[in-house]
Amino acid sequence: MKHVAAVVAVAAVVAVAAVVAVIVTKVVNVMLQVEPRDRYTRKSVDGSKYEVTDHAWQQAQLNLSHGGLGLHSVSHHSSAAYIASLCASGFGDAQNPHLSHMVDLFNKLVSPSKVISVDAITTSPVHQRVLSKKLEDHQFSLLVEASSPADKARLLTVSAPHAASWLLVTPSPGLDLHLDPNELQISIQWWLGIDTARGSSCSLCPGLALDRLGNHATTCKWGGDVVTRHNHLLNVIVEFCHRAHLGVGCSGAGGGQEYRANDPKCSELGWVCIPLAVETYGNWGREAQSTFSRLASHLAIITSSHKSKVLTELYSRLNFTLVRAVARALLARCAPSLGLQDIA
């Protein structure tokens, strides 16, 4: 009976593997048969279509550290994967014509300063992670060079350290760490620079046209979104400070002149006032990064955790809170023109 059960178990595993293989094959075939522009066209409730532009799709294919969504192109990274696999398997010798061909293909996709040679990789095998980073760096630089000044500034800030950490948050309604379908749609469109206005006006500022990148919606003084976003970020910082057993006081953000003017008064009270500045896309200022680093060190000691893990959690919570607040500000002004609906 044990042998029969073992045979049945093996047969079941083989059957499942076969089904998975068939499903994967069908999905790949379907993806290959659909034109990219049709594949990434969305339809609004009113029937109007809007497209994920080539520029936005190129950004989406970048990794998170470059402000993308990590939707890597298989064809773009195939040479890196092949070279690394061949070297790791022991077949990466200088006489292998396939290796030479893939090295030539790889060198066409990177900047001249990042090219590799067959001799170098056969002497010292290289990991795919290293090769893919060379590809990503060059792809990002080309995208920035081809961008408008506004998009160039956006790409530089979304690629700042920890800016894309909101994408690493595990959705949890119980912990209030989730986006509803509309919030997710508008967040991704805004992150990729897709037009969120489409010719409409601000619903809270009659007659004022909305801009493509949502700059007005994220800074509009009507509706209380700016203050709400500020307070939600402060709540996260205060929570982490309390967990680290650190006393903290919070006040509204002011200009640089106001901050310097408050220094003598703060010194008299024995306070240390630190401006925690952040850009809309989640690029935190140097003072904030230094403060968060010290905060993570305190909390890591108390919780017996690695500092890097605590720091990742802190930035993820902060930037998720920031992006969700931005999404709600955009929806409050742009939703009628977008025709958003539940996609769950």
Side-chain angles (χ1 to χ4, degrees):
M1 291 297 294
K2 291 183 179 180
H3 295 292
V4 173
V7 171
V8 171
V10 171
V13 171
V14 172
V16 171
V19 171
V20 171
V22 171
I23 293 176
V24 171
T25 302
K26 289 185 177 180
V27 170
V28 171
N29 289 337
V30 169
M31 291 179 66
L32 292 175
Q33 293 171 3
V34 179
E35 292 297 325
R37 188 165 296 277
D38 295 332
R39 192 187 310 160
Y40 304 109
T41 298
R42 296 300 306 274
K43 182 180 290 185
S44 300
V45 175
D46 60 4
S48 62
K49 293 183 178 181
Y50 63 94
E51 295 178 348
V52 177
T53 62
D54 292 338
H55 189 278
W57 178 236
Q58 290 173 23
Q59 180 186 341
Q61 290 179 307
L62 296 171
N63 54 26
L64 299 188
S65 63
H66 285 108
L69 301 180
L71 304 177
H72 301 293
S73 167
V74 174
S75 60
H76 189 72
H77 288 265
S78 60
S79 58
Y82 185 87
I83 293 171
S85 177
L86 205 61
C87 292
S89 63
F91 292 98
D93 59 87
Q95 305 302 320
N96 190 326
H98 301 294
L99 179 60
S100 300
H101 172 71
M102 295 307 290
V103 168
D104 291 339
L105 178 60
F106 174 86
N107 288 337
K108 293 178 182 179
L109 300 175
V110 298
S111 62
S113 61
K114 301 290 185 178
V115 297
I116 60 175
S117 65
V118 175
D119 292 336
I121 61 175
T122 52
T123 303
S124 178
V126 63
H127 295 286
Q128 183 184 343
R129 178 178 65 256
V130 176
L131 296 176
S132 289
K133 187 178 185 305
K134 293 176 182 287
L135 294 172
E136 292 272 353
D137 290 344
H138 187 57
Q139 188 178 4
F140 177 74
S141 63
L142 291 178
L143 186 61
V144 171
E145 291 175 5
S147 301
S148 65
D151 277 319
K152 184 178 295 185
R154 180 181 58 81
L155 288 171
L156 292 177
T157 188
V158 298
S159 61
H162 307 291
S165 58
W166 67 278
L167 292 164
L168 301 175
V169 172
T170 302
S172 175
L175 298 176
D176 195 28
L177 295 174
H178 70 289
L179 299 172
D180 67 34
N182 287 342
E183 291 171 349
L184 179 60
Q185 287 189 67
I186 198 73
S187 296
I188 296 299
Q189 291 180 34
W190 168 75
W191 188 258
L192 297 179
I194 299 172
D195 187 2
T196 57
R198 298 213 286 278
S200 62
S201 300
C202 177
S203 59
L204 302 179
C205 304
L208 182 60
L210 292 170
D211 59 283
R212 177 178 67 88
L213 297 178
N215 293 324
H216 170 75
T218 57
T219 57
C220 180
K221 296 182 179 179
W222 299 100
D225 293 295
V226 173
V227 175
T228 300
R229 181 169 69 238
H230 170 265
N231 292 340
H232 285 330
L233 289 173
L234 284 183
N235 290 340
V236 175
I237 296 172
V238 170
E239 176 194 336
F240 274 78
C241 287
H242 287 168
R243 287 168 54 185
H245 301 168
L246 297 175
V248 61
C250 300
S251 61
Q257 184 175 359
E258 294 181 11
Y259 166 67
R260 288 192 296 271
N262 285 335
D263 279 347
K265 181 178 179 181
C266 294
S267 298
E268 293 176 4
L269 297 173
W271 294 352
V272 177
C273 295
I274 304 173
L276 303 178
V278 60
E279 297 179 2
T280 310
Y281 288 96
N283 181 20
W284 290 86
R286 285 177 297 179
E287 294 91 346
Q289 293 183 38
S290 177
T291 301
F292 295 157
S293 179
R294 295 197 299 270
L295 174 58
S297 296
H298 281 285
L299 190 53
I301 294 173
I302 292 174
T303 59
S304 300
S305 302
H306 290 290
K307 177 184 175 180
S308 59
K309 180 180 179 181
V310 176
L311 199 58
T312 299
E313 181 189 359
L314 174 57
Y315 277 112
S316 297
R317 284 281 305 280
L318 283 170
N319 285 357
F320 175 84
T321 301
L322 174 62
V323 169
R324 183 170 60 180
V326 167
R328 291 174 177 175
L330 289 167
L331 288 172
R333 295 158 181 81
C334 309
S337 65
L338 294 177
L340 293 176
Q341 60 178 336
D342 281 352
I343 58 174

